[in-house]
Amino acid sequence: MHDTHHIHPENDAQYAGLVVNSGVAQPPSVNPYASRRPKRKPLPSAGELVEGILRGDVTMLSRAVTLVESLSPTHQAVAQEVIEKCLPYSGRSRRIGITGVPGAGKSTSIDVFGLHVLKRGGKLAVLAIDPSSERTKGSILGDKTRMEKLSQHPGAFIRPSPSAGSLGGVARKTRETIVLCEAAGYDNIFVETVGVGQSETAVHSMVDFFLLIQLAGTGDELQGIKRGIMEMADGIVINKADGDNVGPAQLAQAQFRSALHLFPPTASGWKPEVLTYSGYFELGIPEVWDMIDRYFAFTEANGYFTHKRREQARWWMRESIDEALRGNFYNNPEVERMLAGLETEVLADRRSSFTAARDVLDYYFSSLREK
Ligand code: GDP
């Protein structure tokens, strides 16, 4: 600005005696130093994390889980080293999957089941698989308040689902988190999932016992959509068997029992049981847990427990290979470019799906050979 003295209206003759000077340049409203990231706590080394985890240090465990969930390659490298080193200390827990549609009473039930388990001593980790969940939408707080009593228990470690991503990715992170929790001495692991989709299969592949929470009178007791999930269940429990709902719950129990008779025998030789209980009024909880204890005794005695864990380890190895291969293929820039073009041609009926697929695979495999 040049001569502000003349331009400013208050420097007009009628305001004689008053001189308004041009202002002083304002400092920026944001402190330039503040924009520098505040110093983060340095990333602990894999060795430090492992040492902390084995000591049962919850902060170190949480930090390691955060690295497992991180997409950053640096974090992933540390995470994989930590998992590798924790593996020899893992495996000594009871892994229990818990599923049910929203509103079935999963959080209420996990709260009381959890406290029941902890009464015997030991520690409990509650993990979740919910590919639709997003951290930022308050699921951390949500989960804390959802399991109010449990979250205040010193022996409980509650971790919400890794944030939204592919089901395979989310499930793998939960699977890896189980390893870390076990190394930290958690001898009970609950994995919760919303009983509406594919996530049950993923949970089934990482737990020893699969508990299905159902409700009476929702009309879907015997419907096909639940069939797949019902077939996976080692126990079906009908919640909210309290007040006027006791009768309907017992009716549902009878229906489930007869429906289960129609299913082929399970690989474990265990006959899935159907019980009623009330999570809210804490009725029938020990009975549910007796069933789970009996299952573990039964499958440990007939060798199925070990067999299933081995099968799951194999499954996860295959799953990890699948995921890595797919990632390598689809992240190849030339593949991505070719796919876009070929897709247009296929959609326009100018190319068959098969020759298009063959071309892009031919390119991919030859690019591997050149390396
Ligand atoms: P989630 O969505 O499966 O986690 O279900 P919640 O645990 O949030 O429970 C859903 C609703 O059902 C809540 O309003 C609970 O208070 C209620 N609820 C849960 N368990 C019981 C129970 O045993 N009896 C009754 N009457 N209500 C229950």
Side-chain angles (χ1 to χ4, degrees), residues 39 58 149 170 189 193 214 217 246 253 256 300 341 354 358:
K39 242 191 164 173
V58 177
K149 287 172 264 170
V170 170
I189 313 274
T193 185
Q214 285 282 25
V246 172
Q253 179 182 31
F256 275 116
E300 275 161 17
F354 306 103
R358 192 200 55 211

Side-chain angles (χ1 to χ4, degrees), residues 147-343:
M147 293 152 205
E148 217 171 314
K149 287 172 264 170
L150 203 53
S151 61
Q152 291 166 19
H153 195 293
F157 177 75
I158 302 178
R159 188 84 188 189
S161 175
S163 46
S166 74
L167 171 61
V170 170
R172 201 196 67 228
K173 289 169 189 177
T174 304
R175 176 72 186 80
E176 292 175 342
T177 300
I178 292 180
V179 171
L180 303 186
C181 290
E182 289 178 347
Y186 289 84
D187 49 359
N188 293 282
I189 313 274
F190 289 179
V191 184
E192 176 193 354
T193 185
V194 181
V196 285
Q198 296 296 305
S199 36
E200 283 66 40
T201 317
V203 177
H204 192 242
S205 66
M206 64 177 87
V207 300
D208 309 310
F209 185 96
F210 195 63
L211 186 71
L212 170 62
I213 300 180
Q214 285 282 25
L215 294 176
T218 48
D220 59 6
E221 282 98 328
L222 307 173
Q223 277 176 23
I225 39 158
K226 292 280 155 49
R227 211 190 138 97
I229 298 176
M230 263 180 77
E231 258 170 297
M232 286 192 274
D234 301 299
I236 297 176
V237 287
I238 296 146
N239 189 19
K240 310 196 186 181
D242 46 57
D244 291 344
N245 209 26
V246 172
Q250 283 166 350
L251 185 63
Q253 179 182 31
Q255 287 171 333
F256 275 116
R257 277 186 179 151
S258 53
L260 283 178
H261 282 308
L262 305 174
F263 286 180
T266 58
S268 58
W270 166 262
K271 290 196 175 58
E273 296 184 12
V274 186
L275 298 172
T276 64
Y277 77 108
S278 165
Y280 189 83
F281 293 98
E282 304 187 21
L283 306 167
I285 311 296
E287 287 76 1
V288 172
W289 234 256
D290 281 353
M291 164 177 71
I292 294 176
D293 286 341
R294 267 185 283 113
Y295 174 86
F296 277 97
F298 180 82
T299 54
E300 275 161 17
N302 74 4
Y304 183 76
F305 178 85
T306 315
H307 168 78
K308 188 173 180 186
R309 287 245 172 137
R310 288 212 188 105
E311 285 300 310
Q312 289 175 332
R314 194 212 319 247
W315 192 85
W316 280 100
M317 186 182 92
R318 299 266 173 174
E319 225 4 61
S320 307
I321 294 174
D322 280 359
E323 209 180 300
L325 287 178
R326 236 177 288 132
N328 188 270
F329 176 77
Y330 286 107
N331 292 330
N332 181 312
E334 180 58 18
V335 165
E336 224 172 304
R337 204 189 57 76
M338 283 179 82
L339 276 178
L342 287 168
E343 250 165 34

